[in-house]
């Protein structure tokens, strides 16, 4: 038996259309108030994990930056095998008169 999703969900969509058409304003107001209550609960710490009563120590990781004296380093080693062309002058005299 091949059942189309439109046949299965059709009555659900018709029911939701009727409810929204009849009582859409009231549904909107209920959802707004529920969202405000949910936001207040989250901001008051509703999503935090509950701590065990015996463990009250707080561990905060930190980064400590200490200034160091500048270290004189040796110059970088020379580049071996690189042929640097200075302006295209290869020693030949090819000037245009």
């Amino acid at each position: 038996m091949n059942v189309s999703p439109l046949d299965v969900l059709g009555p659900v969509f018709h029911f939701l259309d009727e409810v929204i058409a009849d009582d859409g304003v009231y549904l909107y107001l209920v959802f707004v108030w529920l969202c405000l209550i949910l936001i207040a609960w989250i901001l008051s710490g509703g999503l935090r994990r509950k701590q065990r009563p015996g463990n009250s120590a707080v561990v905060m990781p930190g980064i400590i930056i200490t200034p160091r004296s500048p270290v004189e380093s040796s110059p970088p080693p020379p580049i071996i095998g690189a042929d640097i062309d200075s302006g295209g002058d290869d020693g030949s005299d090819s000037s245009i008169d």
Side-chain angles (χ1 to χ4, degrees):
M1 179 175 178
N2 195 2
V3 179
S4 142
L6 191 61
D7 294 336
V8 175
L9 295 177
V12 175
F13 290 142
H14 289 298
F15 170 75
L16 289 175
D17 284 339
E18 290 177 11
V19 169
I20 290 172
D22 294 339
D23 301 320
V25 174
Y26 301 114
L27 289 173
Y28 176 76
L29 290 175
V30 167
F31 286 136
V32 167
W33 280 105
L34 287 176
C35 288
L36 290 175
I37 291 170
L38 179 69
I39 290 170
W41 177 70
I42 290 171
L43 291 177
S44 69
L47 292 179
R48 292 189 199 136
R49 284 191 281 167
K50 303 296 180 193
Q51 293 181 354
R52 288 182 258 161
N55 187 6
S56 63
V58 177
V59 177
M60 296 193 58
I63 298 173
I64 300 173
I65 300 173
T66 57
R68 295 185 347 184
S69 61
V71 178
E72 293 183 22
S73 62
S74 62
I79 300 173
I80 300 174
D83 186 22
I84 300 175
D85 191 14
S86 60
D89 188 18
D90 59 354
S92 65
D93 188 21
S94 62
S95 62
I96 301 175
D97 291 313

